[in-house]
């Protein structure tokens, strides 16, 4: 514990000051979203690498940060991906009823992004498909590949998330959105990383739609 405090103490102090400043606005600027991403990366490392739990105050303030609307662009998309990764990997994020209600609001906003297209939408939809199909072990590697960070997702925590997820977005809505995912231009064996084709592959493997809509 003392070693962790020594390694992260100064960063945590700066992060806390930055978080308080960011939480005074509703929509993040480009500068603020960069700082917010650094903060989320810090906490993702603490939760997934150091295996530490969050304190109730930290949980509340982090979810409050996640509720902010990011700007468009790469940093804004990264903010959404990092927020999703923290939610999926941090079992202590939902610390009480107040935070639970905030998480429900945040998840509702997050799932709205799944209908907008782009890589962040594909990641959200694929996460939802794995939750519905019960292939929880696939979620951590996908989030790790997408963020470049170590992300651990426990089966018990994923099952709890699936219950809330299903109350906001049905499996039929996910399937409908997935059928509109465009193919990757110039797809070949040389293309690496997370691809839209992974969404379609999971859709087929789950055998969810007897007859996919819009096809």
């Amino acid at each position: 514990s003392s070693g962790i405090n020594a390694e992260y103490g100064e960063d945590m102090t700066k992060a806390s000051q930055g978080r308080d400043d960011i939480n005074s606005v509703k929509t993040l600027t480009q500068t603020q979203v960069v700082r917010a991403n650094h903060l989320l990366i810090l906490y993702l490392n603490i939760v997934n690498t150091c295996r530490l739990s969050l304190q109730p105050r930290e949980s509340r303030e982090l979810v409050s940060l996640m509720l902010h609307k990011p700007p468009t662009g790469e940093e804004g998309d990264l903010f959404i991906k990092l927020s999703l990764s923290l939610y999926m990997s941090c079992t202590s994020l939902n610390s009480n009823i107040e935070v639970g209600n905030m998480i429900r609001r945040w998840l509702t906003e997050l799932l709205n992004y799944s209908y907008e297209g782009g890589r962040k939408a594909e990641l959200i939809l694929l996460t939802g498909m794995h939750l519905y199909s019960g292939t929880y072990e696939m979620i951590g590697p996908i989030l790790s590949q997408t963020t470049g960070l170590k992300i651990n997702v426990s089966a018990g925590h994923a099952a709890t998330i699936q219950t809330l997820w299903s109350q906001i977005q049905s499996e039929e809505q996910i399937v409908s959105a997935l059928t509109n995912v465009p193919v990757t231009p110039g797809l070949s064996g040389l293309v690496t990383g997370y691809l839209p084709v992974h969404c379609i592959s999971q859709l087929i493997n789950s055998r969810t739609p007897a007859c996919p809509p819009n096809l």
Side-chain angles (χ1 to χ4, degrees):
S1 176
S2 60
I4 292 173
N5 287 334
E7 182 175 357
Y8 290 106
E10 183 178 352
D11 287 340
M12 291 294 291
T13 300
K14 292 180 180 179
S16 179
Q17 294 171 346
R19 180 179 58 215
D20 292 339
D21 179 55
I22 290 172
N23 280 341
S24 64
V25 300
K26 292 183 179 180
T27 302
L28 301 177
T29 64
Q30 288 291 343
T31 300
Q32 288 171 330
V33 78
V34 170
R35 291 165 55 195
N37 287 342
H38 289 165
L39 176 63
L40 291 173
I41 290 171
L42 174 63
Y43 273 100
L44 280 166
N45 283 323
I46 289 174
V47 168
N48 290 279
T49 302
C50 300
R51 303 281 186 167
L52 295 180
S53 298
L54 301 181
Q55 297 298 317
R57 180 175 179 269
E58 290 176 311
S59 298
R60 184 180 67 255
E61 293 185 352
L62 279 171
V63 176
S64 178
L65 172 63
M66 289 158 57
L67 276 165
H68 286 73
K69 182 177 177 61
T72 58
E74 291 185 5
E75 289 292 340
D77 288 354
L78 179 60
F79 176 81
I80 294 170
K81 296 172 184 176
L82 293 173
S83 297
L84 175 60
S85 298
L86 186 62
Y87 177 54
M88 294 300 306
S89 63
C90 184
T91 58
S92 59
L93 191 62
N94 191 351
S95 58
N96 53 50
I97 295 177
E98 177 193 4
V99 176
N101 291 333
M102 293 170 64
I103 286 176
R104 186 181 184 90
R105 284 171 48 209
W106 167 79
L107 185 58
T108 300
E109 292 297 324
L110 176 82
L111 296 184
N112 286 335
Y113 289 115
S114 66
Y115 306 109
E116 295 183 0
R119 290 296 175 89
K120 64 179 182 295
E122 294 154 13
L123 178 63
I124 296 169
L125 291 170
L126 187 55
T127 300
M129 284 299 297
H130 282 302
L131 287 172
Y132 272 107
S133 63
T135 51
Y136 305 142
E137 71 280 0
M138 298 298 297
I139 299 175
I142 291 170
L143 294 175
S144 297
Q145 184 183 43
T146 304
T147 62
L149 302 170
K150 180 181 179 182
I151 307 296
N152 305 308
V153 179
S154 69
H157 185 51
T160 300
I161 291 174
Q162 193 274 331
T163 300
L164 177 58
W165 195 295
S166 64
Q167 295 173 6
I168 301 172
Q169 185 179 56
S170 69
E171 193 169 14
E172 290 74 19
Q173 288 175 306
I174 294 178
V175 170
S176 178
L178 280 173
T179 57
N180 293 317
V181 172
V183 299
T184 301
L187 181 62
S188 73
L190 299 177
V191 179
T192 60
Y194 173 73
L195 301 170
V197 70
H198 295 148
C199 293
I200 305 304
S201 174
Q202 177 58 24
L203 178 64
I204 295 172
N205 290 335
S206 67
R207 301 186 180 183
T208 301
C211 182
N214 302 328
L215 290 181

